[in-house]
Amino acid sequence: MTDIEIEVVQLPHGAGLPLPSYQTAGAAGLDLLAAIPDNQPLHLAPGAYAMVPTGIALALPTGTEGQVRPRSGLAAKFGVTVLNAPGTIDSDYRGEVNVVLINHGKQLFSIDRGMRIAQLVIAPVATIGLRIVQHLDETARGAGGFGSTGAKSVNSASKG
């Protein structure tokens, strides 16, 4: 059962690759695949990043967005993640979906054709209107920012 049907174009360099898919019945994201040439892996040195093509373009419905998120396995095992996580695909964008990957690991990381490189989650988007006011309503938190809700910082927690 699907909640939303999305039109997809498989671009010539993505031909032969499976379309993004959910790996389990309860998965929130579809796995995006690398649409790079066969036998020409993309090598990411430690600290390097690259835009990896997926070989697909989507027509997302108005009122939705596509969120390009890291795959936890790549992050945990290799230190490879989506640089601008989550990347946003707007509903009016019709170009190729690309994924900006970065290697935070200590070893060279190779990306092969068809490798699962990221997840795509489709989410609703609310549009807002801004209205200038003189004061905002009071809350218990107030203007407290980073770390103000009681979490100990790494520095203070490690001072024993």
Side-chain angles (χ1 to χ4, degrees):
M1 181 180 133
T2 57
D3 296 327
I4 301 172
E5 187 171 286
I6 295 177
E7 295 177 349
V8 58
V9 171
Q10 196 163 35
L11 302 170
H13 59 282
L17 290 175
L19 290 177
S21 62
Y22 298 101
Q23 297 300 302
T24 66
L30 301 108
D31 282 345
L32 294 171
L33 308 179
I36 57 177
D38 233 352
N39 301 317
Q40 293 181 29
L42 175 63
H43 300 292
L44 277 182
Y49 60 90
M51 188 155 33
V52 183
T54 65
I56 61 167
L58 305 169
L60 297 176
T62 300
T64 66
E65 68 161 328
Q67 298 175 0
V68 178
R69 299 182 182 177
R71 291 194 62 239
S72 60
L74 289 182
K77 294 175 185 173
F78 306 104
V80 173
T81 190
V82 176
L83 182 58
N84 61 325
T88 297
I89 304 168
D90 295 309
S91 65
D92 59 350
Y93 176 68
R94 294 296 182 266
E96 180 174 11
V97 174
N98 287 282
V99 177
V100 183
L101 290 180
I102 185 166
N103 181 359
H104 287 298
K106 297 182 188 320
Q107 304 293 322
L108 182 74
F109 182 77
S110 295
I111 301 164
D112 296 311
R113 180 174 179 80
M115 178 182 276
R116 296 181 297 154
I117 56 170
Q119 297 183 76
L120 174 64
V121 174
I122 306 302
V125 173
T127 56
I128 64 166
L130 298 176
R131 178 174 45 94
I132 294 177
V133 297
Q134 296 304 311
H135 302 282
L136 300 176
D137 62 324
E138 299 278 334
T139 66
R141 181 176 183 173
F146 295 96
S148 67
T149 60
K152 290 184 179 180
S153 72
V154 173
N155 291 336
S156 65
S158 63
K159 289 183 180 176

